């Protein structure tokens, strides 16, 4: 038993000494996972700009990045748009639109018994019920919307993502 312990101790010492000697004799004084050291910004690893990446991603997706063309404000878009809704007007959302009421008193609008989804509270808001400020409201189907609460003369300021129209 004693002989086996001595052999194990010698093996551990020799392996440790070999590793220590290998680090001292390394030509670069650094340990690398591979033998090629690549410097960021070199020919092997170029630095690219965001616009270059955007162009390549758009080309791969079949779009046209960098053309400067903007979408009309009332079509479906992933950009958030700040919209003012005047008293007496209704913001009608399209399928899948998202709205956050930032200022003013809003109520839900729907021509049928279905409502709009308050994602923040996890509730359904039916026609004529108040829409809380700073809550994410999802419009699963078009034709529903929000309007200024009855008896309120001030405008609504809302953030909209997706298609909408003001009626």
């Amino acid at each position: 038993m004693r002989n086996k312990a001595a052999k194990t101790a010698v093996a551990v010492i020799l392996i440790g000494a070999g590793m220590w000697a290998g680090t001292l004799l390394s030509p670069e004084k650094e340990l690398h996972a591979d033998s090629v050291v690549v410097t960021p910004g070199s020919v092997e690893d170029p630095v690219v700009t965001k616009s270059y990446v955007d162009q390549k991603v758009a080309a791969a997706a079949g779009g046209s990045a960098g053309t400067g063309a903007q979408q009309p404000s009332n079509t479906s878009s992933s950009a958030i748009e700040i919209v003012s809704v005047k008293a007496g007007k209704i913001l009608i959302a399209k399928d899948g639109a998202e709205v956050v009421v930032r200022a003013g008193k809003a109520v839900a609008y729907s021509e049928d018994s279905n409502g709009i989804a308050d994602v923040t509270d996890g509730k359904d808001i039916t026609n004529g019920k108040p829409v809380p400020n700073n809550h994410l409201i999802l419009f699963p189907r078009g034709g529903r919307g929000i309007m200024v609460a009855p008896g309120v003369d001030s405008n609504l300021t809302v953030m909209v993502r997706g298609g909408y129209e003001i009626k």
Side-chain angles (χ1 to χ4, degrees):
M1 182 74 161
R2 201 172 200 186
N3 194 15
K4 186 177 181 181
K7 286 182 180 179
T8 304
V10 168
V12 168
I13 290 171
L14 288 175
I15 291 173
M19 290 175 63
W20 176 71
T23 59
L24 291 178
L25 299 175
S26 174
E28 297 167 286
K29 300 289 183 193
E30 296 181 32
L31 293 177
H32 296 286
D34 58 0
S35 62
V36 178
V37 178
V38 179
T39 306
S42 68
V43 174
E44 292 84 21
D45 185 20
V47 177
V48 296
T49 62
K50 181 182 178 305
S51 61
Y52 175 81
V53 173
D54 289 344
Q55 287 174 353
K56 293 300 179 186
V57 169
S64 57
T67 59
Q70 294 185 358
Q71 297 178 347
S73 63
N74 62 351
T75 62
S76 184
S77 170
S78 63
I80 294 177
E81 190 173 338
I82 307 300
V83 179
S84 181
V85 181
K86 297 181 188 314
K89 299 288 184 179
I90 304 171
L91 182 142
I92 304 292
K94 297 195 177 180
D95 295 354
E98 300 172 347
V99 170
V100 176
V101 178
R102 295 292 292 149
K105 299 284 183 190
V107 294
Y109 169 81
S110 179
E111 293 179 350
D112 55 20
S113 62
N114 296 318
I116 56 179
D118 181 347
V119 179
T120 305
D121 275 345
K123 296 180 180 175
D124 194 47
I125 304 173
T126 56
N127 187 36
K129 300 293 183 195
V131 177
N133 288 15
N134 300 315
H135 282 223
L136 178 59
I137 309 299
L138 178 65
F139 295 86
R141 291 198 182 111
R144 303 171 191 170
I146 60 170
M147 61 185 185
V148 176
V152 177
D153 294 331
S154 62
N155 296 341
L156 291 177
T157 301
V158 297
M159 296 177 4
V160 181
R161 178 180 304 175
Y164 71 92
E165 62 181 320
I166 305 287
K167 286 189 176 181

